[in-house]
């Protein structure tokens, strides 16, 4: 019998799917970035990719709540995820957020400092910028126009290095071809949430040791955002480390061969 990786949590007012794998004594929460369709079907692949964490951690990767629409903010996403974590009895977690998931992680660390032991922020930002808003506006327009192939092709180009983009473009297009009208509304809502997010000043409230990982060629949230977060968190007196990958795009977390090892080394530090 194949191992079950995907579960559904039901709390007051909503349901949320999540992956769970590993048998380590500590809890690692992963918050993925925005996507047109749920990443839950990729659970076995994710479990394999993060196998190096499974001796130290039981890993939880949370989706967004199943039903939401326009006006669903980053802070709302973070608050709902905390409700689910509480329902699962999770405490003193390590959290790793990518892209929009990093924004959610910031919100959780700021508003629930007792919950987070350490945090990793990958290819994310504390606020939108001119470049990111232009990208999100284009994605929103194509989604509204039903140009899903154009959207997903550009999504691949904005996330990956040129070589990887060409290798995975067609498979990503095919995987998203079945996006429903509900999926499209949620994707637009997530893009609008990124545009509206401004957590820069609140970074001073973060008290947990933090690792910020950026990518020099990031075409979505840009490397300067990583540097900006690092400097703000460090200035507040919180232990913070920064590493910017040269030669990588936004999805460096999927491409750089030493990415997960770097994260694990940080999390294992006393």
């Amino acid at each position: 019998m194949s191992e079950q990786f995907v579960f559904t949590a039901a709390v007051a007012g909503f349901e949320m799917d999540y992956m769970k794998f590993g048998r380590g004594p500590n809890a690692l929460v992963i918050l993925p970035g925005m996507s047109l369709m749920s990443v839950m079907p990729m659970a076995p692949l994710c479990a394999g990719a993060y196998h190096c964490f499974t001796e130290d951690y039981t890993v939880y990767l949370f989706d967004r709540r199943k039903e939401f629409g326009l006006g669903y903010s980053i802070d709302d996403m973070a608050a709902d995820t905390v409700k689910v974590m509480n329902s699962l009895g999770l405490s003193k977690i390590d959290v790793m957020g990518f892209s929009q998931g990093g924004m959610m992680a910031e919100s959780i660390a700021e508003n629930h400092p007792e919950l987070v032991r350490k945090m990793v922020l990958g290819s994310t930002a504390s606020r939108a910028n001119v470049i990111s808003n232009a990208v999100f506006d284009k994605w929103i327009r194509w989604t509204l126009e039903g140009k899903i192939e154009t959207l997903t092709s550009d999504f691949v180009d904005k996330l990956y290095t040129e070589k990887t983009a060409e290798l995975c473009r067609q498979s990503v297009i095919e995987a998203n071809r079945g996006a429903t009208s509900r999926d499209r509304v949620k994707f637009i809502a997530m893009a609008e949430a990124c545009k509206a997010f401004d957590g820069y000043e609140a970074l001073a409230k973060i008290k947990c040791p933090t690792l910020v990982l950026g990518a020099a060629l990031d075409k979505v949230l840009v490397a300067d955002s990583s540097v900006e977060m690092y400097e703000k968190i460090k200035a507040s007196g919180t232990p913070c480390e920064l590493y910017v990958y040269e030669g990588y795009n936004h999805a460096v977390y999927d491409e750089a061969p030493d990415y997960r090892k770097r994260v694990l080394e940080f999390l294992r530090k006393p």
Side-chain angles (χ1 to χ4, degrees):
M1 181 180 295
S2 61
E3 184 176 355
Q4 181 179 0
F5 293 111
V6 178
F7 304 86
T8 301
V11 299
F14 68 92
E15 293 183 338
M16 181 183 291
D17 290 337
Y18 65 96
M19 302 179 197
K20 179 182 177 183
F21 51 88
R23 303 182 186 279
N26 306 306
L28 173 64
V29 166
I30 300 176
L31 303 175
M34 58 184 283
S35 58
L36 182 59
M37 298 178 69
S38 173
V39 299
M40 290 298 117
M42 299 177 66
L45 292 175
C46 289
Y50 287 90
H51 179 74
C52 63
F53 289 86
T54 56
E55 287 190 14
D56 295 62
Y57 292 97
T58 299
V59 181
Y60 299 80
L61 189 152
F62 290 100
D63 206 347
R64 309 301 186 261
R65 66 186 292 170
K66 286 191 175 183
E67 300 295 338
F68 64 87
L70 296 177
Y72 189 53
S73 71
I74 298 295
D75 287 338
D76 292 336
M77 296 175 196
D80 284 344
T81 304
V82 168
K83 290 175 185 176
V84 173
M85 288 194 287
N86 288 339
S87 76
L88 298 174
L90 301 183
S91 62
K92 287 298 177 184
I93 63 165
D94 290 338
V95 61
M96 176 164 55
F98 303 125
S99 196
Q100 184 179 83
M103 298 176 182
M104 294 167 60
E106 293 165 41
S107 180
I108 292 171
E110 292 155 5
N111 295 304
H112 302 275
E114 77 290 346
L115 186 58
V116 182
R117 188 187 75 96
K118 285 190 175 184
M119 178 167 62
V120 179
L121 300 175
S123 299
T124 190
S126 61
R127 53 188 173 185
N129 55 65
V130 173
I131 292 174
S132 66
N133 282 343
V135 171
F136 294 135
D137 284 341
K138 187 164 57 175
W139 289 351
I140 290 168
R141 185 177 72 252
W142 284 332
T143 305
L144 288 170
E145 294 171 353
K147 297 179 178 178
I148 302 306
E149 183 169 335
T150 302
L151 166 68
T152 50
S153 182
D154 190 70
F155 195 80
V156 168
D157 285 332
K158 291 295 187 293
L159 264 61
Y160 296 103
T161 57
E162 185 175 346
K163 182 178 179 180
T164 300
E166 291 311 308
L167 287 173
C168 72
R169 184 185 315 280
Q170 200 56 43
S171 61
V172 174
I173 289 173
E174 290 300 324
N176 287 278
R177 202 177 291 282
T180 65
S181 58
R182 174 172 163 268
D183 293 325
R184 298 177 192 184
V185 169
K186 291 167 70 173
F187 184 79
I188 292 169
M190 286 188 280
E192 293 285 7
C194 286
K195 290 178 60 182
F197 182 64
D198 187 348
Y200 176 71
E201 293 299 334
L203 290 174
K205 296 165 59 179
I206 292 174
K207 301 304 177 187
C208 60
T210 300
L211 171 63
V212 179
L213 296 173
L217 303 181
D218 192 330
K219 298 175 184 175
V220 182
L221 293 172
V222 306
D224 286 350
S225 296
S226 297
V227 176
E228 180 182 68
M229 289 188 299
Y230 163 75
E231 291 177 345
K232 183 70 171 179
I233 296 170
K234 191 81 171 177
S236 71
T238 297
C240 189
E241 300 177 23
L242 170 70
Y243 187 84
V244 177
Y245 280 87
E246 298 294 332
Y248 285 94
N249 202 345
H250 187 75
V252 57
Y253 42 82
D254 285 339
E255 291 194 74
D258 67 335
Y259 197 97
R260 297 179 188 96
K261 179 183 177 183
R262 186 181 298 276
V263 170
L264 190 55
E265 287 176 349
F266 168 76
L267 296 178
R268 283 175 170 171
K269 289 180 183 178

